[in-house]
Amino acid sequence: MSIEVRNITKSFGQFKALDNVSIKINAGELVALLGPSGSGKTTLLRIIAGLEVPDPTSGPIFFGGEDVARRKVGQRGVGFVFQHYALFRHMTVFDNIAFGLTVKPRKIRPTKEQIRARVSELLHMIQLDNLADRYPNQLSGGQRQRVALARALAVRPKVLLLDEPFGALDAKVRVELRGWLRRLHEEIHLTSVFVTHDQDEALELADRVAVMNNGHIEQFDKPDYVFHHPSTPFVMNFLGQVNQFRGRLGRTGEIHIGQYAGVAEEMVAANTSDWASEANASFFVRPHDLAITRQPREGQLSFPGTILRVHSAGVRIRVELQSDEGEPMLAEVSHARWERLGLKAGDRCFVTPHSVRIFDAVDTPAAARTTETPKAGASASGEEKAS
Amino acid sequence: MSLLTRAQKTDYGSHFRAVKEATTEPAAVKWFLITVAVLFMSVFLLLPLICVFYEAFASGWELFKKAVTDRHTLSALKMTFLATGITVPLNVIFGLAAAWCIGKFQFVGKSFLLSLIDIPFAISPVIAGLLFVFIFGTQSAFGQWLQDHNIRVLFAWPGVTIATIFVTFPFVVRELIPVMQSQGTEEEQAARVLGARGWHIFLRITLPNVKWALLYGIILCNARAMGEFGAVVVVAGNSAKTNTLPLHINALYQGYADACAPFAVATILAVMAIVTLIVKSFIEWKISAKENRL
């Protein structure tokens, strides 16, 4: 069953948790709401569930074409998995899973045998067949999470909503459960929405990812597309580390950063028509698109820097640098390339951006917004000293 | 080989001893502290209790039996049971409602409500008794109205009960609030999403989760209700009909009864207190066993 919300706004006092948000989720899709804390992702999930009431100015909430905005949470037919499981601590695993069935009005309540059969089926699905008589506090975190999921599925909900489903688990269990949830979704094809602040989780698990920030949805696309074609600086920043340089964009597409100028091999802009005008701009470069060389590259934008630290424990070597203005930069190179360069911490070198992304030729508040959530944002503007 | 293992064993032994010695007080300090504690408990707690039982039986079994089965004693026992029997259920209902709303919801005036609940702890029971005399006495309009309609509150069982309720009402709610607050509302929300309705959620989720705290509160409330003196003595007046057990004991002690009579009646209260203590320890043991399982 598809889910569609239109123009949802939610304020908590002065704070706007959601500001006019609309989203349409197709039937059978697994969608991630991804964003930092305070971005409104959990609020949106709870509004879809009916656990939170949006502001009166908000639009409708459709489940498969039917407006459920006026319906109470118990009547919406949603399965909800809470971040901290919220299992009933005084009930066994069996009773927890059976709860939703046993509280149905007498007329539509299944018989004892039917309930038993349904619970056994779910216990089998979550691979906890022999733990039916345990209490929640006798289970591990991963087991509790699976019981919470089975409990939500017992009533055959139309949509499944998960709030930070793996947030309270340790890294290894998290990855295991992720794969398990993905396979489960492929089996039952229930329209599902989950909230997460972990970009790996969102990109690996979801069919589509909605990246949220400050109560807005910044971008809603397939994981691959969101990662490779971020539509705002925020999305680029949130889905991995990025260097940010302030400078000027020339008429012919050359980049001016301080006294250094030149073109980059690849340049992607949100709006190419803006290239014509000479304007101040922010340039975004992923660490793996920032090449380190001993000499400046002819005809390309290259500027000097100093190597601060080298992290070599990993698949690729991560190099922390500093521009002559003291701005931090981050580059990623392969082990082979690093050996050939023969550089070490403290050495001088040149950096050359290969692929540069511009979101708005003019320095707009959109670009400024990314600086509020710095991850690896680094700017090197107005360089004056020669190397 | 065997030498080696023995050597290792001794080694570990001395190691453990060393650790133990490093973290405990010297024996002299230990015994001194224990002696002080035991002496204090004996003089202030155990000795009076033994005295009560000793005095009660000092003049022989017959006199004890006479005092305990006396008409006035039985009437006082009945009054105590009546007042306690009404007080405890009412305070349970009130306590659950108040703790639920304080523990699970955010609203303006919450801390004010909390301080209101603590008033009976803060003010002297005698003042509470006087308060009710003012409210229900004939000098107030309400008291006048009650008298016109021939309803007796003061110097009758309703007055005794109301005073007992007032004095004991923080007990249940004070036990429940921290438990409800720490448990939060997620389980209730989960039940609501699963389609459970308000009353169902309360009976199947909220109530079982606070079961032991509630029982503990009931025990404390019950103990205090049976033993309350100050507030009750003001509203009960000076009649044998409205005496509760503590009042009756006082009357016997002040009056011309047998010397053993007040002590004999006091043993009834003492036994009830001991039973309460045993039940309380059992519940505490249950709670800690439950927490250890977590």
Side-chain angles (χ1 to χ4, degrees), chain A residues 308-350:
Chain A
L308 291 181
R309 258 182 294 278
V310 181
H311 306 278
S312 56
V315 183
R316 290 167 70 80
I317 289 184
R318 290 149 46 80
V319 186
E320 282 180 40
L321 304 111
Q322 195 175 39
S323 74
D324 290 348
E325 269 60 52
E327 298 286 350
M329 298 182 284
L330 186 72
E332 250 180 47
V333 298
S334 69
H335 283 265
R337 166 111 190 99
W338 187 246
E339 253 166 54
R340 248 179 295 146
L341 277 169
L343 290 165
K344 61 182 190 308
D347 287 351
R348 300 277 294 160
C349 66
F350 284 83

CSV table of all heavy atoms in Angstrom, one decimal, chain A residues 308-350:
chain,number,residue,atom,x,y,z
A,308,LEU,N,49.6,17.3,7.2
A,308,LEU,CA,49.6,17.3,8.7
A,308,LEU,C,49.7,15.9,9.3
A,308,LEU,O,50.5,15.6,10.1
A,308,LEU,CB,48.3,17.9,9.2
A,308,LEU,CG,48.1,19.4,9.0
A,308,LEU,CD1,46.8,19.9,9.6
A,308,LEU,CD2,49.3,20.2,9.6
A,309,ARG,N,48.8,15.0,8.8
A,309,ARG,CA,48.8,13.6,9.3
A,309,ARG,C,48.4,12.7,8.2
A,309,ARG,O,47.7,13.0,7.3
A,309,ARG,CB,47.7,13.6,10.4
A,309,ARG,CG,48.2,13.6,11.8
A,309,ARG,CD,47.1,13.5,12.8
A,309,ARG,NE,46.2,14.6,12.8
A,309,ARG,CZ,46.4,15.7,13.4
A,309,ARG,NH1,47.5,15.9,14.1
A,309,ARG,NH2,45.6,16.7,13.4
A,310,VAL,N,48.9,11.4,8.4
A,310,VAL,CA,48.6,10.4,7.4
A,310,VAL,C,48.0,9.2,8.1
A,310,VAL,O,48.6,8.7,9.1
A,310,VAL,CB,49.9,10.0,6.7
A,310,VAL,CG1,49.6,8.9,5.6
A,310,VAL,CG2,50.6,11.2,6.1
A,311,HIS,N,46.8,8.8,7.8
A,311,HIS,CA,46.2,7.6,8.4
A,311,HIS,C,46.3,6.5,7.4
A,311,HIS,O,45.6,6.5,6.3
A,311,HIS,CB,44.7,7.9,8.7
A,311,HIS,CG,44.5,9.1,9.5
A,311,HIS,ND1,44.6,9.1,10.9
A,311,HIS,CD2,44.2,10.4,9.2
A,311,HIS,CE1,44.4,10.3,11.4
A,311,HIS,NE2,44.1,11.1,10.4
A,312,SER,N,47.1,5.5,7.6
A,312,SER,CA,47.3,4.5,6.7
A,312,SER,C,46.6,3.2,7.0
A,312,SER,O,46.7,2.2,6.3
A,312,SER,CB,48.8,4.2,6.5
A,312,SER,OG,49.4,3.9,7.7
A,313,ALA,N,45.9,3.1,8.2
A,313,ALA,CA,45.2,1.9,8.5
A,313,ALA,C,43.8,1.9,7.9
A,313,ALA,O,42.9,2.5,8.4
A,313,ALA,CB,45.0,1.8,10.0
A,314,GLY,N,43.7,1.3,6.7
A,314,GLY,CA,42.5,1.3,6.0
A,314,GLY,C,42.7,0.9,4.5
A,314,GLY,O,43.9,0.6,4.1
A,315,VAL,N,41.6,0.7,3.8
A,315,VAL,CA,41.8,0.3,2.4
A,315,VAL,C,42.5,1.4,1.6
A,315,VAL,O,43.3,1.1,0.8
A,315,VAL,CB,40.4,0.1,1.8
A,315,VAL,CG1,40.5,-0.4,0.4
A,315,VAL,CG2,39.6,-0.9,2.7
A,316,ARG,N,42.2,2.6,1.9
A,316,ARG,CA,42.9,3.7,1.3
A,316,ARG,C,43.6,4.6,2.3
A,316,ARG,O,43.2,4.6,3.5
A,316,ARG,CB,41.9,4.6,0.4
A,316,ARG,CG,41.4,3.8,-0.8
A,316,ARG,CD,40.2,4.5,-1.4
A,316,ARG,NE,40.6,5.8,-2.0
A,316,ARG,CZ,41.2,5.9,-3.3
A,316,ARG,NH1,41.4,4.8,-3.9
A,316,ARG,NH2,41.4,7.1,-3.8
A,317,ILE,N,44.6,5.3,1.9
A,317,ILE,CA,45.3,6.2,2.8
A,317,ILE,C,44.6,7.6,2.9
A,317,ILE,O,44.2,8.1,1.8
A,317,ILE,CB,46.7,6.4,2.4
A,317,ILE,CG1,47.5,5.1,2.6
A,317,ILE,CG2,47.4,7.5,3.1
A,317,ILE,CD1,48.9,5.1,2.3
A,318,ARG,N,44.3,8.0,4.1
A,318,ARG,CA,43.6,9.3,4.2
A,318,ARG,C,44.7,10.3,4.7
A,318,ARG,O,45.4,10.1,5.7
A,318,ARG,CB,42.5,9.2,5.3
A,318,ARG,CG,41.3,8.4,4.8
A,318,ARG,CD,40.6,7.6,5.8
A,318,ARG,NE,40.4,8.5,7.0
A,318,ARG,CZ,39.4,9.4,7.1
A,318,ARG,NH1,38.5,9.5,6.1
A,318,ARG,NH2,39.2,10.1,8.1
A,319,VAL,N,44.8,11.4,4.0
A,319,VAL,CA,45.8,12.4,4.3
A,319,VAL,C,45.1,13.7,4.7
A,319,VAL,O,44.3,14.3,4.0
A,319,VAL,CB,46.7,12.7,3.0
A,319,VAL,CG1,47.8,13.6,3.4
A,319,VAL,CG2,47.2,11.4,2.4
A,320,GLU,N,45.5,14.2,5.9
A,320,GLU,CA,45.0,15.5,6.4
A,320,GLU,C,46.0,16.5,6.0
A,320,GLU,O,47.2,16.4,6.3
A,320,GLU,CB,44.9,15.4,7.9
A,320,GLU,CG,43.6,14.7,8.4
A,320,GLU,CD,43.5,14.8,9.9
A,320,GLU,OE1,43.9,15.8,10.5
A,320,GLU,OE2,43.2,13.7,10.5
A,321,LEU,N,45.5,17.6,5.3
A,321,LEU,CA,46.4,18.6,4.9
A,321,LEU,C,45.9,20.0,5.4
A,321,LEU,O,44.8,20.1,5.9
A,321,LEU,CB,46.4,18.7,3.3
A,321,LEU,CG,46.8,17.5,2.6
A,321,LEU,CD1,45.6,16.9,1.8
A,321,LEU,CD2,47.9,17.8,1.6
A,322,GLN,N,46.8,20.9,5.2
A,322,GLN,CA,46.4,22.3,5.6
A,322,GLN,C,46.8,23.2,4.5
A,322,GLN,O,47.9,23.1,4.0
A,322,GLN,CB,47.1,22.7,6.9
A,322,GLN,CG,46.5,23.9,7.5
A,322,GLN,CD,47.2,24.1,8.9
A,322,GLN,OE1,48.4,24.0,9.0
A,322,GLN,NE2,46.4,24.5,9.9
A,323,SER,N,45.9,24.1,4.1
A,323,SER,CA,46.3,25.1,3.1
A,323,SER,C,47.2,26.2,3.7
A,323,SER,O,47.3,26.2,4.9
A,323,SER,CB,45.0,25.7,2.5
A,323,SER,OG,44.5,26.6,3.4
A,324,ASP,N,47.7,27.0,2.9
A,324,ASP,CA,48.6,28.1,3.5
A,324,ASP,C,47.8,29.0,4.3
A,324,ASP,O,48.4,29.8,5.1
A,324,ASP,CB,49.3,28.8,2.4
A,324,ASP,CG,50.4,27.9,1.7
A,324,ASP,OD1,50.6,26.8,2.4
A,324,ASP,OD2,50.9,28.2,0.7
A,325,GLU,N,46.5,29.0,4.1
A,325,GLU,CA,45.6,29.9,5.0
A,325,GLU,C,45.2,29.2,6.3
A,325,GLU,O,44.5,29.8,7.1
A,325,GLU,CB,44.3,30.3,4.2
A,325,GLU,CG,44.4,31.6,3.5
A,325,GLU,CD,45.5,31.4,2.4
A,325,GLU,OE1,45.5,30.5,1.7
A,325,GLU,OE2,46.4,32.3,2.4
A,326,GLY,N,45.7,28.0,6.5
A,326,GLY,CA,45.4,27.3,7.7
A,326,GLY,C,44.1,26.5,7.6
A,326,GLY,O,43.6,26.0,8.7
A,327,GLU,N,43.5,26.4,6.4
A,327,GLU,CA,42.2,25.7,6.3
A,327,GLU,C,42.5,24.2,6.2
A,327,GLU,O,43.4,23.8,5.4
A,327,GLU,CB,41.4,26.2,5.1
A,327,GLU,CG,41.1,27.6,5.1
A,327,GLU,CD,39.9,27.9,6.1
A,327,GLU,OE1,39.3,26.9,6.6
A,327,GLU,OE2,39.6,29.1,6.4
A,328,PRO,N,41.8,23.3,6.9
A,328,PRO,CA,42.0,21.9,6.8
A,328,PRO,C,41.5,21.3,5.5
A,328,PRO,O,40.5,21.8,5.0
A,328,PRO,CB,41.3,21.3,8.0
A,328,PRO,CG,40.3,22.3,8.3
A,328,PRO,CD,40.8,23.6,7.9
A,329,MET,N,42.2,20.3,5.0
A,329,MET,CA,41.7,19.6,3.8
A,329,MET,C,41.9,18.1,4.0
A,329,MET,O,42.7,17.7,4.8
A,329,MET,CB,42.5,20.1,2.5
A,329,MET,CG,42.4,21.5,2.2
A,329,MET,SD,43.3,21.9,0.7
A,329,MET,CE,45.0,21.9,1.3
A,330,LEU,N,41.1,17.3,3.3
A,330,LEU,CA,41.2,15.9,3.4
A,330,LEU,C,41.3,15.3,2.0
A,330,LEU,O,40.5,15.6,1.1
A,330,LEU,CB,40.0,15.3,4.2
A,330,LEU,CG,40.1,13.8,4.5
A,330,LEU,CD1,41.1,13.6,5.6
A,330,LEU,CD2,38.8,13.3,4.9
A,331,ALA,N,42.3,14.4,1.8
A,331,ALA,CA,42.5,13.7,0.5
A,331,ALA,C,42.6,12.2,0.8
A,331,ALA,O,43.0,11.8,1.9
A,331,ALA,CB,43.7,14.2,-0.2
A,332,GLU,N,42.2,11.4,-0.2
A,332,GLU,CA,42.2,10.0,-0.1
A,332,GLU,C,43.0,9.4,-1.3
A,332,GLU,O,42.7,9.8,-2.4
A,332,GLU,CB,40.8,9.4,-0.1
A,332,GLU,CG,40.4,8.8,1.2
A,332,GLU,CD,39.0,8.3,1.1
A,332,GLU,OE1,38.7,7.5,0.2
A,332,GLU,OE2,38.2,8.6,2.0
A,333,VAL,N,44.1,8.7,-1.0
A,333,VAL,CA,44.8,8.1,-2.2
A,333,VAL,C,45.0,6.6,-1.9
A,333,VAL,O,44.9,6.1,-0.8
A,333,VAL,CB,46.2,8.8,-2.3
A,333,VAL,CG1,46.0,10.3,-2.6
A,333,VAL,CG2,47.0,8.6,-1.1
A,334,SER,N,45.4,5.9,-3.0
A,334,SER,CA,45.6,4.5,-2.8
A,334,SER,C,47.0,4.3,-2.2
A,334,SER,O,47.9,5.2,-2.3
A,334,SER,CB,45.6,3.8,-4.2
A,334,SER,OG,46.7,4.2,-5.0
A,335,HIS,N,47.2,3.1,-1.6
A,335,HIS,CA,48.5,2.8,-1.0
A,335,HIS,C,49.6,2.9,-2.1
A,335,HIS,O,50.7,3.4,-1.8
A,335,HIS,CB,48.5,1.4,-0.4
A,335,HIS,CG,47.7,1.4,0.9
A,335,HIS,ND1,48.4,1.5,2.1
A,335,HIS,CD2,46.4,1.3,1.2
A,335,HIS,CE1,47.5,1.5,3.1
A,335,HIS,NE2,46.3,1.3,2.5
A,336,ALA,N,49.4,2.3,-3.3
A,336,ALA,CA,50.4,2.3,-4.3
A,336,ALA,C,50.8,3.7,-4.7
A,336,ALA,O,52.0,4.0,-4.8
A,336,ALA,CB,49.8,1.6,-5.6
A,337,ARG,N,49.8,4.6,-4.9
A,337,ARG,CA,50.1,6.0,-5.3
A,337,ARG,C,50.9,6.7,-4.2
A,337,ARG,O,51.8,7.4,-4.5
A,337,ARG,CB,48.8,6.7,-5.6
A,337,ARG,CG,48.8,8.2,-5.7
A,337,ARG,CD,48.6,8.7,-7.1
A,337,ARG,NE,48.9,10.1,-7.2
A,337,ARG,CZ,50.0,10.6,-7.7
A,337,ARG,NH1,50.9,9.8,-8.2
A,337,ARG,NH2,50.2,11.9,-7.8
A,338,TRP,N,50.5,6.4,-3.0
A,338,TRP,CA,51.2,7.1,-1.8
A,338,TRP,C,52.7,6.7,-1.8
A,338,TRP,O,53.5,7.5,-1.5
A,338,TRP,CB,50.5,6.7,-0.5
A,338,TRP,CG,51.0,7.5,0.6
A,338,TRP,CD1,51.6,7.0,1.7
A,338,TRP,CD2,50.9,8.9,0.9
A,338,TRP,NE1,52.0,8.0,2.6
A,338,TRP,CE2,51.5,9.2,2.1
A,338,TRP,CE3,50.3,9.9,0.1
A,338,TRP,CZ2,51.6,10.4,2.6
A,338,TRP,CZ3,50.4,11.2,0.6
A,338,TRP,CH2,51.1,11.5,1.9
A,339,GLU,N,52.9,5.4,-2.0
A,339,GLU,CA,54.3,4.9,-2.0
A,339,GLU,C,55.1,5.6,-3.1
A,339,GLU,O,56.3,6.0,-2.9
A,339,GLU,CB,54.4,3.4,-2.2
A,339,GLU,CG,54.7,2.7,-0.9
A,339,GLU,CD,54.4,1.2,-1.0
A,339,GLU,OE1,54.9,0.6,-2.0
A,339,GLU,OE2,53.7,0.7,-0.1
A,340,ARG,N,54.5,5.8,-4.3
A,340,ARG,CA,55.2,6.4,-5.4
A,340,ARG,C,55.5,7.8,-5.1
A,340,ARG,O,56.6,8.4,-5.4
A,340,ARG,CB,54.4,6.3,-6.7
A,340,ARG,CG,55.0,5.3,-7.7
A,340,ARG,CD,54.2,5.3,-8.9
A,340,ARG,NE,52.9,4.6,-8.6
A,340,ARG,CZ,51.7,4.9,-9.1
A,340,ARG,NH1,51.6,5.8,-10.0
A,340,ARG,NH2,50.6,4.3,-8.7
A,341,LEU,N,54.6,8.5,-4.4
A,341,LEU,CA,54.8,9.9,-4.1
A,341,LEU,C,55.9,10.1,-3.1
A,341,LEU,O,56.7,11.1,-3.1
A,341,LEU,CB,53.5,10.5,-3.5
A,341,LEU,CG,52.5,11.0,-4.4
A,341,LEU,CD1,51.2,11.3,-3.7
A,341,LEU,CD2,52.9,12.2,-5.2
A,342,GLY,N,56.0,9.2,-2.1
A,342,GLY,CA,57.1,9.2,-1.1
A,342,GLY,C,57.1,10.4,-0.2
A,342,GLY,O,58.1,11.0,0.2
A,343,LEU,N,55.8,10.9,0.1
A,343,LEU,CA,55.7,12.0,1.0
A,343,LEU,C,55.4,11.6,2.4
A,343,LEU,O,55.0,10.4,2.7
A,343,LEU,CB,54.5,12.9,0.5
A,343,LEU,CG,54.8,13.7,-0.8
A,343,LEU,CD1,53.5,14.2,-1.3
A,343,LEU,CD2,55.8,14.8,-0.6
A,344,LYS,N,55.7,12.5,3.4
A,344,LYS,CA,55.3,12.2,4.8
A,344,LYS,C,54.8,13.4,5.5
A,344,LYS,O,54.8,14.5,4.9
A,344,LYS,CB,56.6,11.6,5.5
A,344,LYS,CG,57.7,12.6,5.5
A,344,LYS,CD,58.9,11.9,6.2
A,344,LYS,CE,60.0,12.9,6.5
A,344,LYS,NZ,60.4,13.7,5.3
A,345,ALA,N,54.3,13.2,6.7
A,345,ALA,CA,53.8,14.4,7.4
A,345,ALA,C,54.8,15.5,7.6
A,345,ALA,O,56.0,15.2,7.8
A,345,ALA,CB,53.3,13.9,8.8
A,346,GLY,N,54.4,16.7,7.3
A,346,GLY,CA,55.3,17.8,7.4
A,346,GLY,C,55.7,18.3,6.1
A,346,GLY,O,56.2,19.5,5.9
A,347,ASP,N,55.6,17.5,5.0
A,347,ASP,CA,56.1,17.8,3.7
A,347,ASP,C,55.1,18.8,3.0
A,347,ASP,O,54.0,18.9,3.3
A,347,ASP,CB,56.2,16.6,2.8
A,347,ASP,CG,57.4,15.7,3.2
A,347,ASP,OD1,58.2,16.2,4.0
A,347,ASP,OD2,57.5,14.6,2.7
A,348,ARG,N,55.7,19.6,2.1
A,348,ARG,CA,54.9,20.5,1.3
A,348,ARG,C,54.5,19.7,0.0
A,348,ARG,O,55.2,18.8,-0.5
A,348,ARG,CB,55.7,21.7,0.8
A,348,ARG,CG,56.2,22.6,2.0
A,348,ARG,CD,55.2,23.5,2.5
A,348,ARG,NE,54.9,24.5,1.5
A,348,ARG,CZ,53.8,25.3,1.5
A,348,ARG,NH1,52.9,25.1,2.4
A,348,ARG,NH2,53.5,26.2,0.6
A,349,CYS,N,53.3,20.1,-0.5
A,349,CYS,CA,52.9,19.4,-1.7
A,349,CYS,C,51.8,20.2,-2.4
A,349,CYS,O,51.5,21.3,-1.9
A,349,CYS,CB,52.3,18.0,-1.4
A,349,CYS,SG,50.8,18.1,-0.5
A,350,PHE,N,51.3,19.8,-3.6
A,350,PHE,CA,50.2,20.5,-4.2
A,350,PHE,C,49.0,19.6,-4.3
A,350,PHE,O,49.1,18.4,-4.4
A,350,PHE,CB,50.6,20.8,-5.7
A,350,PHE,CG,51.6,22.0,-5.7
A,350,PHE,CD1,53.0,21.8,-5.5
A,350,PHE,CD2,51.1,23.3,-5.9
A,350,PHE,CE1,53.8,22.9,-5.5
A,350,PHE,CE2,52.0,24.4,-5.9
A,350,PHE,CZ,53.4,24.2,-5.7
